[in-house]
Amino acid sequence: MARRQPEPSDTKTGPTGSFLPFRHRHLLGIAQLSPVEIVDLIDRAEAMIPVSRARKTLPGLAGKTQINLFFENSTRTQASFEIAGKRLGATVLNMAVRTSSLAKGETLVDTATTLNAMQPDAIVVRHGSSGAVELLSQKVECAVINAGDGSHEHPTQALLDALTIRRHFGRLNGLTVAICGDIANSRVARSNLVLLGAMQARTRVIAPKTLLPRGVEQMASEVFTDMRKGLKGADVVMMLRLQNERASGKLIPSVREYYRFYGLDAEKLAHANANALVMHPGPMNRGVEIDPAIADGPQSVITEQVEMGVAVRMAVLDALLGGEKE
Amino acid sequence: MPNRPLLIENARIIDPATNADFKGSILIEKGRIADIAEGAAPGVPEKARTIDAMGLIAAPGLIDMRVFTGEPGHEYRETIASAGEAAAAGGVTTILVMPDTLPVIDDGALVEFIARNAKANTGITVLPSAAITKGTEGSELTEFGLLLEAGAACLAEGRKSIQNSAVLRAAMTYAANFDALIVHQPAEASLVSDGVMNAGPLATFRGLKGIPGEAETIPLDRDLQLALMTGARYHAAQISTARAIELTRFYKARAAHVTVGASINNLCLNENDVGSYRTFFKLSPPLRHEDDRMALVEALKSGIVDVIHSDHDPQDSEGKRQPFADAATGAIGLETLLPAALRLVHSGDVDLMTVLRAMTARPAEILGLESGRIAKGAPADLCLFDMDYPWLVEEATIRSRSRNTTFENARMTGKAMLTIAGGKVVFMEEQQGA
């Protein structure tokens, strides 16, 4: 059955509208999803936007308990998941785990077992090690949502990016999306490459070779080390955060050299299509990977991404915990 | 009883040292092979106990050149006794134990401790290796002469790799003094860095840091050059890449005293086995690309790879029940070494004689042992196995104290049925009876 392609203005479908039953217990990564399921989640998120904008609270998850378990600090993602849960009526508990004072792995399995005994309905996990969220999901009986694991996946980020893009172009297939920056260490890049690839968008990665992982050409349609060439004809420019410690001479000689060749400024952006969207998963390093004027400029949809984040997380929570499941 | 002669009849005797393969019988007296005969035994001493092998293959007991135990220091992972039991069940009658225990075996008294402990608690031969550098810290040489006198079979650095070329040069030069064997795993620490699996698309896709093949080939080249330069007997503990085989071939043509080993894991498995962050497959060297594995199998056939070992490395479940990057490295393998190696035979890749040679005659030559062959006067270390015995590797039946096997729930074809060490039966498969 062919699914209807929602228009950017189409926000009439309510959260109770007809969606596919979500057949996964967890959301661990985009790689586990079929293209149809990806579209379905984006549709569900689209339908959540009016709810989110109206600051309404739906009763869908009333009486359910959601635990945000963050082994890595992330104010914005944690807040986004918290608001999403609360808008759906769930009881949300934030647990910040200070990794510094505890042995990482022990904490993970032990914490999973402990939390499981408290009978939560969902655990939202961020962890510094790739595969950690999957490991935790094997130790609990409730739904687990990956809020970022190491350099592996960050599925809700890719979904919110896709939703943002679709709202502007009305589609994902056939678009040229350039992802620029620290590809090697980025879970955002991986999840986006998998999602956009599944949606038949044309994906490009742009980075200095020291920030390109081996075999990246198998994940992206095209690989560029020259940013201007990589941006040519791009519909979307996704910038990634550069961790300061990587620009201290180990992989990148200096911030100013990085900015010169890979920072997004007006001159480089001019190589992309005229209406190209500028995106960033945040938090931004202004003046490192992006010119502040571009970040706040007319092509930037960075703030919209944050807004879409809440809608996507509401949709994911609803898909995993909502009515039909129980 | 201990001195009662033992006759094994109706066996298919395979001795890779002499390329012999015939049906016959073996007479064991006083812990040694007293006679070997084709067909029926000519004269059997009175009171001899007879075992009908019923057509089982009788090969020399296997010699495993890379075994880690937890004794001393981590006995909950493995003791010398439990490693000995696991070995016997796998048809392994000699193990070379690595020195990186707690404390590190870098002193004569510790070598003697291992030897004493082994004699008291196992029926198999346990050869202690001594560290090349104090504390395996890679900077100061240990007392090679005294360690060898105390009974060290060779000098080895275990999981560690010496980074400083001058230290390794000195070690090899000094080892040549005693004609001692240096066993060393080449690994460039700065290239291994925080890598946890083979570098490549798979690691990238999983978001795991990769270990490039160059982390092995760059130090291997250095090691082999130093072996050539110093004349030391050098054994590269394990190699895993196609490029390392090319290098080895180049240097072997120029120096007879260099040898290399390969782990059964690298010969049977590849990086795809890591699958969904399966930590039992986190190994060092990492499981490589299928092309590397196939090159390694070819190198075994051509004799570039001298030795197959289990790289038996027991790790407790806490160490393995972790996110992949944080999990402990290593897998047990004593009980599955033979059946896993037989996979290479059953698949038609390598003939049985070659596979057995790499686990018997070759390691015996490298270590200068009397065992590893079926010959009159040799120690009566034998492995009687059924080539075609089907079985399942089950957690409950593992004899090792740790459970971290790469062959968990694997279907195997072939198994040791009867293991004899020093003339004594140290293992008999129960279902088989006798």
Side-chain angles (χ1 to χ4, degrees):
Chain A
M1 188 179 91
R3 286 202 64 80
R4 182 181 54 97
Q5 191 67 257
E7 294 303 311
S9 58
D10 178 8
T11 54
K12 281 190 233 64
T13 316
T16 51
S18 68
F19 298 105
L20 297 173
F22 194 69
R23 60 182 184 88
H24 300 278
R25 196 153 74 96
H26 311 296
L27 180 66
L28 301 176
I30 298 296
Q32 76 179 98
L33 303 175
S34 68
V36 172
E37 289 170 331
I38 292 170
V39 172
D40 184 65
L41 279 177
I42 299 172
D43 289 348
R44 284 171 181 262
E46 183 104 45
M48 287 294 182
I49 297 169
V51 181
S52 181
R53 286 201 171 148
R55 297 182 180 81
K56 280 195 287 192
T57 298
L58 293 176
L61 301 189
K64 309 244 174 178
T65 308
Q66 168 194 341
I67 298 177
N68 293 337
L69 180 63
F70 278 58
F71 291 86
E72 272 185 352
N73 286 334
S74 170
T75 315
R76 64 172 61 210
T77 306
Q78 187 170 321
S80 181
F81 270 108
E82 184 173 356
I83 290 168
K86 286 182 171 166
R87 293 240 162 101
L88 293 172
T91 305
V92 184
L93 186 78
N94 287 315
M95 281 190 62
V97 184
R98 279 187 210 87
T99 43
S100 56
S101 62
L102 297 156
K104 273 187 193 169
E106 278 175 353
T107 309
L108 181 63
V109 173
D110 291 353
T111 311
T113 314
T114 309
L115 291 181
N116 188 52
M118 298 178 191
Q119 314 290 341
D121 298 286
I123 306 181
V124 178
V125 191
R126 167 164 293 188
H127 196 282
S129 290
S130 300
V133 179
E134 185 174 330
L135 176 66
L136 186 138
S137 75
Q138 294 160 4
K139 310 286 172 196
V140 298
E141 287 148 47
C142 66
V144 172
I145 298 169
N146 185 356
D149 65 323
S151 325
H152 179 222
E153 281 241 36
H154 191 354
T156 56
Q157 179 70 44
L159 288 165
L160 75 88
D161 287 342
L163 174 60
T164 308
I165 297 169
R166 202 180 74 175
R167 282 169 61 80
H168 283 268
F169 292 96
R171 66 192 164 96
L172 292 167
N173 65 304
L175 295 179
T176 298
V177 181
I179 306 177
C180 181
D182 187 1
I183 309 291
N185 296 290
S186 175
R187 52 192 171 220
V188 175
R190 276 172 187 73
S191 286
N192 265 304
L193 287 171
V194 175
L195 188 150
L196 293 166
M199 294 293 103
Q200 300 185 344
R202 188 158 188 80
T203 54
R204 294 176 176 175
V205 292
I206 307 169
K209 284 199 166 180
T210 44
L211 298 180
L212 284 172
R214 272 165 84 149
V216 71
E217 64 282 353
Q218 295 188 20
M219 296 190 74
S221 317
E222 292 171 283
V223 180
F224 291 90
T225 51
D226 181 323
M227 192 170 181
R228 289 174 184 85
K229 285 182 188 161
L231 291 183
K232 201 164 182 346
D235 298 301
V236 178
V237 184
M238 270 186 199
M239 300 305 298
L240 299 174
R241 178 183 170 82
L242 183 77
Q243 303 283 350
N244 282 328
E245 61 264 27
R246 304 202 208 288
S248 58
K250 276 191 175 166
L251 295 171
I252 299 295
S254 69
V255 165
R256 67 177 188 182
E257 173 144 329
Y258 185 79
Y259 185 74
R260 169 85 176 76
F261 293 95
Y262 298 97
L264 186 66
D265 55 18
E267 187 273 320
K268 293 195 197 83
L269 182 58
H271 288 78
N273 284 347
N275 59 344
L277 300 183
V278 172
M279 304 177 77
H280 195 297
M284 274 184 285
N285 278 319
R286 290 165 189 267
V288 176
E289 69 261 357
I290 191 162
D291 181 337
I294 298 297
D296 304 328
Q299 285 170 266
S300 168
V301 291
I302 295 169
T303 313
E304 188 181 337
Q305 285 175 273
V306 178
E307 190 194 0
M308 292 307 115
V310 175
V312 158
R313 283 152 192 147
M314 287 171 77
V316 168
L317 285 165
D318 185 55
L320 285 166
L321 305 181
E324 306 142 58
K325 286 251 142 184
E326 294 301 305
Chain B
M1 218 334 237
N3 286 331
R4 197 175 154 195
L6 176 66
L7 179 75
I8 294 162
E9 55 180 17
N10 289 326
R12 177 182 163 194
I13 298 169
I14 297 184
D15 180 34
T18 54
N19 275 322
D21 183 349
F22 58 91
K23 293 204 164 60
S25 47
I26 301 168
L27 180 66
I28 295 165
E29 274 183 301
K30 292 174 185 152
R32 292 191 175 258
I33 296 173
D35 204 2
I36 305 154
E38 263 194 83
V44 182
E46 263 181 70
K47 292 183 189 171
R49 181 183 163 204
T50 302
I51 293 177
D52 185 350
M54 296 188 290
L56 291 179
I57 293 170
L62 308 186
I63 300 168
D64 191 335
M65 280 187 71
R66 192 171 172 87
V67 173
F68 297 88
T69 76
E71 191 168 3
H74 297 102
E75 285 81 358
Y76 59 94
R77 288 184 197 156
E78 194 85 289
T79 59
I80 289 169
S82 65
E85 251 185 82
V92 177
T93 54
T94 300
I95 60 176
L96 180 67
V97 293
M98 291 294 112
D100 37 352
T101 45
L102 191 68
V104 168
I105 309 303
D106 58 2
D107 184 274
L110 290 163
V111 172
E112 281 163 9
F113 162 79
I114 301 282
R116 232 181 10 252
N117 183 323
K119 200 156 259 172
N121 297 310
T122 72
I124 66 157
T125 303
V126 176
L127 302 173
S129 61
I132 301 169
T133 64
K134 287 177 189 159
T136 61
E137 280 170 7
S139 49
E140 292 169 51
L141 299 188
T142 55
E143 299 160 322
F144 290 7
L146 295 176
L147 289 163
L148 294 164
E149 270 186 4
C154 67
L155 297 148
E157 205 75 339
R159 301 175 186 88
K160 294 283 194 71
S161 190
I162 295 170
Q163 301 301 305
N164 186 321
S165 302
V167 170
L168 189 62
R169 178 190 171 182
M172 287 205 204
T173 309
Y174 193 60
N177 226 34
F178 297 96
D179 196 30
L181 176 70
I182 295 276
V183 177
H184 186 239
Q185 176 172 350
E188 165 69 44
S190 64
L191 287 175
V192 172
S193 184
D194 49 1
V196 293
M197 76 172 284
N198 186 38
L202 229 56
T204 295
F205 188 72
R206 291 262 168 236
L208 295 172
K209 296 272 193 312
I211 303 173
E214 288 74 11
E216 166 177 293
T217 51
I218 291 171
L220 176 68
D221 199 343
R222 172 200 67 171
D223 286 16
L224 292 169
Q225 287 191 49
L226 289 175
L228 209 61
M229 173 190 180
T230 59
R233 290 201 294 127
Y234 170 82
H235 179 72
Q238 37 189 9
I239 60 170
S240 63
T241 61
R243 178 69 64 80
I245 293 157
E246 283 176 41
L247 277 173
T248 307
R249 182 179 289 116
F250 178 88
Y251 285 100
K252 275 194 165 186
R254 285 155 185 81
H257 52 273
V258 299
T259 51
V260 302
S263 158
I264 191 64
N265 294 313
N266 290 108
L267 281 161
C268 288
L269 308 167
N270 67 29
E271 58 180 350
N272 296 306
D273 288 296
V274 171
S276 183
Y277 304 103
R278 299 204 290 169
T279 58
F280 283 7
F281 295 84
K282 184 180 177 186
L283 305 170
S284 171
L287 295 173
R288 299 285 187 188
H289 193 272
E290 175 63 5
D291 291 345
D292 291 305
R293 188 194 73 84
M294 290 198 307
L296 216 52
V297 172
E298 280 305 310
L300 174 66
K301 276 160 78 174
S302 66
I304 295 294
V305 165
D306 296 272
V307 170
I308 305 174
H309 58 242
S310 69
D311 194 24
H312 181 84
D313 194 351
Q315 298 292 339
D316 55 277
S317 56
E318 279 306 295
K320 283 290 185 184
R321 208 179 291 142
Q322 306 251 19
F324 197 86
D326 310 323
T329 302
I332 57 169
L334 278 167
E335 293 167 71
T336 47
L337 174 63
L338 176 65
L342 288 175
R343 280 186 171 182
L344 300 172
V345 179
H346 289 301
S347 66
D349 286 322
V350 192
D351 64 84
L352 180 60
M353 191 68 83
T354 302
V355 164
L356 288 176
R357 183 179 298 113
M359 298 186 289
T360 57
R362 276 309 276 154
E365 280 174 65
I366 293 165
L367 290 165
L369 307 177
E370 283 182 284
S371 55
R373 61 210 170 98
I374 299 183
K376 261 189 211 180
D381 288 355
L382 297 172
C383 164
L384 274 72
F385 65 95
D386 180 342
M387 270 292 281
D388 303 308
Y389 184 82
W391 64 291
L392 187 69
V393 182
E394 285 171 295
E395 197 187 313
T397 59
I398 291 172
R399 283 166 180 79
S400 171
R401 282 201 179 176
S402 294
R403 301 279 181 268
N404 53 314
T405 170
T406 51
F407 296 101
E408 190 180 20
N409 297 322
R411 286 172 203 287
M412 294 295 198
T413 306
K415 193 181 184 314
M417 292 293 169
L418 182 74
T419 307
I420 296 171
K424 289 181 194 140
V425 174
V426 289
F427 169 77
M428 191 182 285
E429 175 68 34
E430 278 158 30
Q431 284 118 305
Q432 184 70 9

